């Protein structure tokens, strides 16, 4: 049990680390910018420095996008884990992300004139996947790690099939879609940022209200009923919120796996399983992890820009195996 | 106070409880006994709205429970399951404080009065010293007491217990049942529990309901219910019933299976 003061301190420290990492990340790239110059550019009103264009048009949007998306996916994973009562429930493994991506691809490849519908398509795809996982994985005693993985495999395979089919039919329009599908933050810029942040803020505010319900539902269905809660309604509402957060992230930058799995797990190790601490911690840690993945991807192999989604998979999959060895599930 | 009227319960296609009726008077301790698979726990779960029932009605203080909101029911009635699981790192006090949530609106925080009730529940269950410990560090009996404390914090008028002693050793069984008696005598809390042990049912109950294959067999005081004939009919066991001077309740000695 982590006591409240310690939990709070850990959250604040992580938040500070995240801020520092964000400032440093702005400075990294083909043009290095020193921290004082970054701060001067960011916080001096009306001043025009030579770094204005690089910072405001390229680096800052990308850093903010990484922070926001990382937070979204981590919260989404934390909520799904509460709802399914299982630490393996992650938007990637369960197929929510793939479902959202498949629906977005339909729009991008088949109906490119309706691009403005991409966020809605992502949400619809995510909801369909989540519903499928429930139908496949749910047993009378709840969801077990095995059933969740198996139904995730099925849903992911189905969505993979849809994606493969579409990419053969519309191979001429494919290159731009592939760049998006990989979970790359390159060249997304202010467009993606302005698309995602209003939704993200709504999602975060709703997540704050989800904390108490998430805490009650992790005590088990019978206890929740005993406390006068409508368990089915909580499940549906929290799942929709989790899918919403994952879907807008997919709509903005494509598929990023493992953040929703490993970040809530790390948060739980650091501050305990009380969602009052675990959820904010997941949010901050998710932002930090994706920022590191994206910044690493664009600097480690410069001038190559490795998509954050690929780097996350390379780091995330071994971590997932490590958790399995430790029998964390 | 609690009235079960003509209730039938099915699991998919299997009829588990048939046209069952009984009522519980305020301030009574009522035990439901019967062989495995007779429908005892099923009945209790249906009362606690955890299982749906087909026909009939269950009323609490003369109000049909189907017309009450789940939250209103939670303020009056609480059921403790046979086995409970909590996240390992939750502290005893934190767990018990969840019992206050039915009394709160969805945005309301717990206030001083709630925390007093939580402390009171911890004191009643002799857990004050353990309040900051994680649940996982408690023994079986202690953790069962913590769940009872959570139920107490809910301040129900009626407490349903589903085999509260099943996973406990005999001293912890005694401890939990003693606590139930204390709560009943000191606070007038009405208790309905499912028990396996005939002697425990006999010593701790005002009324006993015997259920066999989903039908009510007999209802009455321990003296009326605990007869050789009943035990032969329901459990297929020969027995002897003793009355001892140090206890009002009849003692049951099982002798052998019916040939």
């Amino acid at each position: 049990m982590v006591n409240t003061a310690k939990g709070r301190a850990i959250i604040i420290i992580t938040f500070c680390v995240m801020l520092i990492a964000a400032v440093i990340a702005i400075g990294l790239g083909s043009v290095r910018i020193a921290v004082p110059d970054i701060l001067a550019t960011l916080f001096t009103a009306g001043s025009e420095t030579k770094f204005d264009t690089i910072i405001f048009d390229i680096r800052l949007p990308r850093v903010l996008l990484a922070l926001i998306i990382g937070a979204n996916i981590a919260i989404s994973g934390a909520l799904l884990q509460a709802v399914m009562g299982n630490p393996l429930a992650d938007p990637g493994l369960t197929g929510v992300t793939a479902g959202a991506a498949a629906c977005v691809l339909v729009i991008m490849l088949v109906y490119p004139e309706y691009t403005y519908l991409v966020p809605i398509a992502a949400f619809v795809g995510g909801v369909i996947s989540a519903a499928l996982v429930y139908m496949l994985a749910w047993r009378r005693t709840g969801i077990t790690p095995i059933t969740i993985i198996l139904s995730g495999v099925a849903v992911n395979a189905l969505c993979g099939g849809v994606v493969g089919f579409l990419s053969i039919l519309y191979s001429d329009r494919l290159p731009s879609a592939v760049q998006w599908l990989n979970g790359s933050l390159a060249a997304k810029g202010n467009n993606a940022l302005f698309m995602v942040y209003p939704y993200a803020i709504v999602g975060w505010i709703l997540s704050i209200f989800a904390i108490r319900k998430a805490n009650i539902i992790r005590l088990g269905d019978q206890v929740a009923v005993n406390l006068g809660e409508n368990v089915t309604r909580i499940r549906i509402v929290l799942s929709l919120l989790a899918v919403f957060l994952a879907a807008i992230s997919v709509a903005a930058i494509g598929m990023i796996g493992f953040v929703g799995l490993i970040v809530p797990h790390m948060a739980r190790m650091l501050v305990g399983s009380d969602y009052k601490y675990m959820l904010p911690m997941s949010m901050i840690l998710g932002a930090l992890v994706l920022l590191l993945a994206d910044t690493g991807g664009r600097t480690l192999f410069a001038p190559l820009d490795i998509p954050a989604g690929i780097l996350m998979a390379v780091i995330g999959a071994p971590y997932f195996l490590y958790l399995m060895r430790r029998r964390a599930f | 106070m609690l009235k079960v009227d003509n209730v039938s319960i099915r699991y998919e296609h299997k009829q588990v409880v048939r046209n069952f009726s009984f009522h519980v008077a305020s301030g009574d301790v009522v035990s439901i006994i019967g062989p495995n698979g007779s429908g005892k726990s099923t009945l209790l779960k249906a009362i606690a709205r955890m299982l749906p029932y087909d026909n009939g009605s269950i009323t609490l203080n003369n109000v049909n429970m189907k017309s009450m909101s789940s939250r209103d029911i939670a303020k009056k009635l609480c059921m403790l399951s046979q086995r409970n699981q909590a996240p390992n790192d939750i502290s005893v006090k934190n767990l018990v404080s969840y019992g206050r949530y039915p009394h709160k609106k969805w945005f309301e925080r717990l206030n001083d009065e709630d925390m007093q009730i939580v402390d009171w529940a911890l004191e009643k269950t002799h857990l004050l010293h353990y309040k900051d410990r994680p649940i996982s560090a408690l023994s079986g009996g202690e953790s069962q007491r913590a769940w009872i404390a959570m139920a107490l914090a809910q301040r129900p008028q009626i407490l349903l217990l589903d085999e509260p002693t099943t996973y406990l050793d005999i001293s912890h069984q005694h401890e939990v049942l003693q606590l139930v008696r204390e709560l009943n005598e000191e606070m007038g809390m009405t208790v309905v529990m499912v028990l396996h042990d005939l002697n425990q049912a006999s010593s701790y109950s005002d009324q006993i309901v015997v259920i066999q294959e989903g039908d009510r067999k007999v209802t009455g005081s321990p003296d009326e219910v605990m007869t050789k004939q009943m035990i032969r009919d329901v459990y297929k066991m020969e027995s002897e019933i003793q009355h001892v001077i140090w206890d009002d309740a009849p003692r049951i000695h099982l002798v052998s299976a019916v040939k």
Side-chain angles (χ1 to χ4, degrees):
Chain A
M1 174 67 191
V2 177
N3 62 40
T4 53
K6 195 177 154 206
R8 241 176 243 139
I10 294 175
I11 290 173
I12 292 168
I13 291 167
T14 317
F15 186 73
C16 295
V17 171
M18 183 199 82
L19 284 182
I20 295 165
V23 172
I24 294 171
I26 291 175
L28 294 175
S30 54
V31 178
R32 300 259 164 149
I33 309 173
V35 171
D37 291 331
I38 297 169
L39 296 178
T41 312
L42 287 179
F43 297 112
T44 322
S47 79
E48 289 203 4
T49 71
K50 57 182 172 171
F51 301 117
D52 261 16
T53 319
I54 297 180
I55 290 181
F56 287 115
D57 290 350
I58 300 168
R59 303 267 175 86
L60 184 63
R62 186 163 179 168
V63 165
L64 287 178
L65 198 58
L67 294 175
I68 291 174
I69 304 269
N72 282 352
I73 303 176
I75 296 175
S76 175
L79 289 177
L80 281 181
Q81 289 171 17
V83 166
M84 298 195 179
N86 195 297
L88 276 184
D90 143 86
L93 284 181
T94 53
V96 168
T97 317
C103 272
V104 173
L105 266 190
V106 171
I107 297 278
M108 287 172 84
L109 296 178
V110 187
Y111 306 105
E113 63 273 28
Y114 295 112
T115 306
Y116 61 92
L117 286 179
V118 157
I120 294 169
F123 184 65
V124 170
V127 168
I128 293 172
S129 291
L132 273 175
V133 169
Y134 273 112
M135 283 183 335
L136 294 168
W138 199 264
R139 299 288 179 274
R140 258 182 57 190
T141 44
I143 294 183
T144 66
I146 308 248
T147 55
I148 212 167
I149 289 295
L150 289 179
S151 50
V153 167
V155 173
N156 271 316
L158 182 67
C159 298
V162 172
V163 170
F165 188 61
L166 287 174
S167 47
I168 290 172
L169 283 183
Y170 299 91
S171 51
D172 50 323
R173 300 174 187 164
L174 201 59
S176 65
V178 165
Q179 174 78 347
W180 164 81
L181 202 62
N182 271 340
S184 165
L185 281 86
K188 292 293 199 273
N190 281 315
N191 286 340
L193 181 64
F194 288 138
M195 191 278 279
V196 84
Y197 92 87
Y199 293 115
I201 289 172
V202 171
W204 295 348
I205 291 170
L206 293 175
S207 312
I208 296 170
F209 292 113
I211 288 175
R212 182 180 291 182
K213 300 294 183 196
N215 265 336
I216 287 179
I217 209 164
R218 83 200 160 110
L219 297 175
D221 284 15
Q222 295 208 335
V223 176
V225 171
N226 234 330
L227 293 173
E229 299 291 345
N230 183 335
V231 179
T232 312
R233 192 165 66 203
I234 295 181
R235 278 225 163 79
I236 292 173
V237 171
L238 294 195
S239 299
L240 285 177
L241 180 55
V243 170
F244 172 74
L245 283 164
I248 55 166
S249 309
V250 171
I253 64 159
M255 298 215 276
I256 295 204
F258 294 106
V259 176
L261 178 74
I262 61 178
V263 169
H265 188 264
M266 285 158 67
R268 212 175 278 124
M269 285 196 306
L270 288 166
V271 297
S273 66
D274 185 342
Y275 272 67
K276 221 161 98 191
Y277 300 97
M278 196 276 231
L279 201 76
M281 186 67 190
S282 294
M283 178 177 172
I284 297 166
L285 210 54
L288 178 62
V289 165
L290 193 61
L291 177 71
L292 292 179
D294 180 52
T295 310
R298 70 185 167 88
T299 54
L300 289 179
F301 305 97
L304 284 180
D305 196 327
I306 313 287
I310 292 180
L311 211 67
M312 270 319 296
V314 172
I315 306 166
Y319 188 84
F320 170 63
L321 292 175
Y322 157 77
L323 290 184
M324 214 167 70
R325 285 292 297 176
R326 285 204 28 211
R327 293 167 189 273
F329 310 125
Chain B
M1 155 163 233
L2 179 77
K3 202 161 161 219
V4 174
D5 194 21
N6 221 14
V7 163
S8 300
I9 309 161
R10 274 184 311 188
Y11 267 128
E12 277 143 33
H13 294 294
K14 194 174 170 253
Q15 189 87 17
V16 183
V17 173
R18 253 181 309 272
N19 302 329
F20 204 95
S21 304
F22 77 105
H23 78 278
V24 178
S26 182
D28 266 5
V29 175
V30 176
S31 290
I32 304 175
I33 61 170
N36 285 339
S38 56
K40 320 180 281 287
S41 294
T42 306
L43 185 62
L44 208 64
K45 281 180 190 153
I47 298 172
R49 72 209 178 284
M50 284 166 194
L51 283 178
Y53 52 92
D54 294 337
N55 52 304
S57 66
I58 301 176
T59 55
L60 183 61
N61 299 329
N62 296 321
V63 184
N64 190 324
M65 283 176 62
K66 278 192 173 158
S67 68
M68 297 168 76
S69 77
S70 185
R71 185 160 285 247
D72 283 337
I73 295 172
K75 291 176 192 167
K76 300 192 173 102
L77 174 144
C78 177
M79 158 144 168
L80 191 62
S81 304
Q82 213 174 105
R83 193 163 234 190
N84 295 288
Q85 40 156 35
N88 285 335
D89 60 352
I90 192 169
S91 74
V92 172
K93 188 172 181 174
N94 196 349
L95 179 76
V96 175
S97 66
Y98 282 110
R100 295 307 300 157
Y101 281 118
H103 299 269
K104 299 274 125 184
K105 296 202 179 68
W106 61 278
F107 52 85
E108 242 181 324
R109 287 164 160 261
L110 299 184
N111 56 28
D112 289 347
E113 197 192 327
D114 293 312
M115 290 332 276
Q116 273 169 23
I117 293 173
V118 169
D119 281 340
W120 162 84
L122 288 167
E123 196 192 314
K124 268 278 155 234
T125 48
H126 315 290
L127 283 170
L128 269 181
H129 290 303
Y130 298 93
K131 65 179 180 179
D132 293 320
R133 289 213 196 156
I135 286 283
S136 55
L138 302 185
S139 72
E142 287 160 357
S143 91
Q144 187 70 327
R145 287 206 314 250
W147 287 98
I148 294 178
M150 178 178 167
L152 289 186
Q154 226 170 304
R155 282 289 182 109
Q157 299 164 358
I158 179 162
L159 183 62
L160 311 181
L161 301 166
D162 187 6
E163 299 187 18
T165 56
T166 300
Y167 294 104
L168 303 177
D169 63 35
I170 41 173
S171 77
H172 286 129
Q173 290 186 10
H174 178 77
E175 185 186 288
V176 164
L177 289 170
Q178 210 55 44
L179 174 63
V180 168
R181 174 175 280 172
E182 239 176 81
L183 294 171
N184 172 256
E185 284 173 358
E186 289 172 19
M187 302 166 48
M189 191 179 284
T190 309
V191 177
V192 180
M193 57 186 168
V194 167
L195 287 177
H196 258 305
D197 188 306
L198 298 183
N199 280 310
Q200 285 176 354
S202 173
S203 334
Y204 288 96
S205 322
D206 298 306
Q207 292 282 310
I208 296 177
V209 178
V210 184
I211 178 169
Q212 184 183 25
E213 287 172 7
D215 288 315
R216 195 185 67 179
K217 185 81 182 161
V218 265
T219 313
S221 67
D223 271 324
E224 292 162 352
V225 169
M226 294 298 179
T227 60
K228 282 176 162 181
Q229 188 61 42
M230 185 283 283
I231 292 167
R232 195 178 298 139
D233 290 351
V234 175
Y235 291 94
K236 313 285 181 267
M237 292 284 288
E238 297 292 352
S239 60
E240 276 173 19
I241 313 287
Q242 266 186 353
H243 287 266
V244 287
I245 34 169
W246 65 85
D247 194 350
D248 300 334
R251 321 277 326 151
I252 297 97
H253 293 279
L254 299 172
V255 180
S256 65
V258 174
K259 304 250 159 52

